[in-house]
Amino acid sequence: MARLGSAVTIVTSDGEAGIAGTTVSAVCSVTDQPPTLLVCLNRSSRNNTAFRRNGRLCINILSAAHEDLARRFSNGSLSAEERFAQGRWRSGENGSPLLAGAAASLECEIADISEVGTHSVFFCRVTAASAGEAGEGLIYLDRAFHRVGKPASVAPL
């Protein structure tokens, strides 16, 4: 699976179970009517329980500038508070944290969950979306982060 490149996201949630967030590369569009995505998360992750209990989440699609933040949110030894201490965050319409400067943020309600092997597959219905500035994206391939796409245009000095 290391040979399958994928977009890098930080999936966040806040609610009854408290604030949670983790780096996820297993995110995929399911259907556009209703707009639904899937998010795969290891069942042993502490975030799995929080996402379930909160019943909602936000998929923050990262730009190339967010590589350090992606590493921070994938560090299992950091608490949620330590993870969210970096980056600029605001509360979205559903209460989940949205990352300022993300390529896009998709707020979702968890519509269904399936258990497959070691992972939970969250089917997430999009309730709100926002797009950031166009620029380079961030993918994960061969166990490393890579920049893709064109750099954002910069105004001349």
Side-chain angles (χ1 to χ4, degrees):
M1 293 309 296
R3 298 292 172 104
L4 177 61
S6 56
V8 182
T9 68
I10 293 177
V11 180
T12 60
S13 184
D14 200 358
E16 171 188 329
I19 195 167
T22 189
T23 301
V24 176
S25 60
V27 174
C28 180
S29 173
V30 175
T31 181
D32 62 350
Q33 291 299 323
T36 305
L37 299 148
L38 65 80
V39 174
C40 299
L41 190 62
N42 195 300
R43 287 192 298 214
S44 67
S45 168
R46 66 181 179 225
N47 294 288
N48 190 311
T49 301
F51 292 169
R52 287 172 185 272
R53 286 185 52 209
N54 290 341
R56 59 186 178 251
L57 53 81
C58 181
I59 300 164
N60 294 281
I61 302 169
L62 303 185
S63 71
H66 294 116
E67 182 177 335
D68 288 342
L69 196 59
R71 289 181 191 284
R72 182 180 198 87
F73 272 77
S74 66
N75 183 338
S77 67
L78 296 179
S79 68
E81 291 75 21
E82 291 170 315
R83 291 176 182 196
F84 284 98
Q86 185 175 335
R88 290 186 339 233
W89 300 92
R90 67 175 176 85
S91 184
E93 291 178 21
N94 74 7
S96 295
L98 274 68
L99 175 62
S105 294
L106 305 164
E107 297 178 70
C108 304
E109 292 179 3
I110 298 171
D112 197 11
I113 304 170
S114 292
E115 305 300 333
V116 180
T118 58
H119 283 63
S120 298
V121 182
F122 293 83
F123 290 90
C124 307
R125 189 164 303 121
V126 178
T127 58
S130 57
E133 296 292 320
E136 289 181 298
L138 186 64
I139 66 164
Y140 195 71
L141 172 68
D142 283 336
R143 303 193 192 300
F145 292 103
H146 301 273
R147 294 171 176 254
V148 295
K150 296 180 181 179
S153 58
V154 178
L157 297 175

